[in-house]
Amino acid sequence: MNDTMVTLVGNAATAVEHRQTAAGVPVARFRLAATSRRWDKVRECWTDGGTSFYTVRSWRTLADNVAASVAVGEPLVVQGRLRVREGEQPPEKGGQRWFAAEVDAVAIGHDLSRGTSAFRRIVRARTEPLPPHAEPLPPQTDPGPPAAEARSGRPPSPPLQAGTAGAMAGMGASRPVPPLVVVPSSAAVGPSGAMGTAVAGAVVVRGARDSPQKVPVP
């Protein structure tokens, strides 16, 4: 948020130094010369002004691509974070203070206003493991009909759909089935018996919430 982002247009003044840190991170470093241009009214032409030199550093994939693409003298466009360093020379060298401008590059490309360039995409192999949900699931096998249906020789019953099974589970949870009451036919004889009504050798048992059911009388 507080970084100073700059865009530099210039030429590669030195060859790219490509190496790896102690942790194995690739890093590339080179010097960029940025020369200002101004209009000379006397000569009526563009002339070169002063030249500023910047140390450009790049890391990881960008460092590898810079080392394979940039040569001395090529026009470049560099975007990155500006760092200004200062120090002091040792007494044997005069003891003067010095300042250096460095740029941690986030993007580097050729200046196409002064030439052409060909882009080649680099495809790198995937090294990190796949997440658990991305692994293929084992194939599902049909366990076959239940043992009782296999012994009886009847065809297996079709599986219930998810909606049907859920509806039956909901009905069973909301409406418990009352126990079946069997009474003798003598106790149920009568047009309006309390327990039931005898009909053709069977007793019709009426539950609190169920429809009449016929139960054979022994």
Side-chain angles (χ1 to χ4, degrees):
M1 181 176 180
N2 297 327
D3 291 336
T4 303
M5 301 297 295
V6 296
T7 301
L8 306 177
V9 180
N11 295 76
T14 61
V16 178
E17 300 177 6
H18 188 225
R19 61 182 181 85
Q20 287 189 348
T21 63
V25 179
V27 57
R29 175 185 177 275
F30 67 95
R31 296 277 287 173
L32 181 75
T35 303
S36 62
R37 299 275 291 174
R38 62 183 181 86
W39 177 257
D40 191 346
K41 294 182 179 180
V42 177
R43 301 170 55 185
E44 294 184 353
C45 64
W46 288 96
T47 60
D48 293 338
T51 301
S52 301
F53 290 89
Y54 301 88
T55 300
V56 180
R57 284 188 174 86
S58 54
W59 306 85
R60 298 177 178 83
T61 303
L62 180 59
D64 295 338
N65 295 340
V66 166
S69 305
V70 175
V72 178
E74 292 184 349
L76 301 175
V77 179
V78 177
Q79 185 181 28
R81 302 175 181 87
L82 178 64
R83 303 279 189 268
V84 178
R85 299 173 56 243
E86 61 178 320
E88 187 175 351
Q89 294 179 349
E92 58 271 13
K93 292 186 178 182
Q96 298 179 353
R97 296 186 62 82
W98 57 267
F99 296 89
E102 299 181 353
V103 176
D104 290 337
V106 296
I108 299 176
H110 287 106
D111 186 1
L112 299 184
S113 65
R114 294 191 284 170
T116 61
S117 180
F119 178 78
R120 294 188 301 273
R121 186 179 298 276
I122 302 299
V123 180
R124 301 186 181 277
R126 188 186 183 96
T127 57
E128 63 270 15
L130 293 175
H133 63 271
E135 298 179 357
L137 298 176
Q140 300 292 334
T141 57
D142 187 7
E149 295 182 355
R151 288 195 301 267
S152 62
R154 294 178 297 178
S157 303
L160 293 177
Q161 299 181 358
T164 307
M168 294 183 64
M171 291 174 59
S174 59
R175 292 189 57 186
V177 179
L180 184 63
V181 181
V182 180
V183 297
S185 58
S186 59
V189 174
S192 59
M195 299 296 294
T197 305
V199 178
V203 177
V204 179
V205 180
R206 300 183 182 273
R209 299 180 181 178
D210 291 354
S211 59
Q213 301 180 6
K214 294 184 179 182
V215 180
V217 178

